[in-house]
Amino acid sequence: MVVLALDTTSDSGSLALLRDNTLLEEHVLSAPDGFGHILFAEIEALLARHSLSIRDIDLFAAAAGPGSFTGVRVGLAAIKGLAEACSKPAAAISNLQALASLSLPPILDAHRGEVYSIRHGVETVAPPPLEFPLPTQTPPPPP
């Protein structure tokens, strides 16, 4: 199974390419003007270095935050679009749960003197496929 994963939730992002649970390459992204300007060219270059096309990807995955609101949306939209175009599954992965699954302290800088963290344990299970449209939360009725 070939997996393309990306993280655009913070100031520096990354792409990763895995085959059968073996990391083929991780590539750090720097995009001061936003990941939308470079993401698809970087994905294309990563795949070319491994003689792969987008159709060779079996699973598309993206970091789902917490993090930069725009960065999260760019990453999820890119992965969902590629998955839909290739009729392949997509998965959204919580940054905090990913850290916790590696036995790392699940704490991320939220800026302004705050942090993101989780307190519960993490089970090792396959993430559910990302479904669109995402369920919307309806606001509570006025009092």
Side-chain angles (χ1 to χ4, degrees):
M1 173 182 275
V2 180
V3 178
L4 174 67
L6 62 85
D7 183 351
T8 56
T9 61
S10 63
D11 294 336
S12 63
S14 63
L15 295 173
L17 189 61
L18 296 92
R19 177 180 280 134
D20 300 325
N21 293 327
T22 299
L23 180 64
L24 299 177
E25 183 178 346
E26 179 184 13
H27 180 68
V28 176
L29 302 174
S30 176
D33 296 326
F35 293 106
H37 301 286
I38 66 162
L39 190 57
F40 290 102
E42 293 287 347
I43 290 171
E44 187 176 27
L46 174 67
L47 295 175
R49 287 193 295 274
H50 296 275
S51 301
L52 294 170
S53 78
I54 201 70
R55 299 251 177 231
D56 295 322
I57 304 300
D58 298 308
L59 174 68
F60 295 87
S68 157
F69 181 71
T70 300
V72 170
R73 290 185 307 157
V74 166
L76 291 176
I79 286 299
K80 183 58 180 172
L82 291 170
E84 285 291 323
C86 296
S87 299
K88 301 285 177 76
I93 310 298
S94 161
N95 296 40
L96 294 171
Q97 287 183 327
L99 287 172
S101 72
L102 297 172
S103 298
L104 295 171
I107 300 171
L108 298 173
D109 185 2
H111 303 292
R112 298 185 179 147
E114 297 183 354
V115 296
Y116 299 115
S117 184
I118 57 175
R119 212 173 94 174
H120 59 81
V122 175
E123 295 179 27
T124 305
V125 296
L130 185 61
E131 296 180 18
F132 281 82
L134 294 175
T136 58
Q137 293 182 345
T138 56

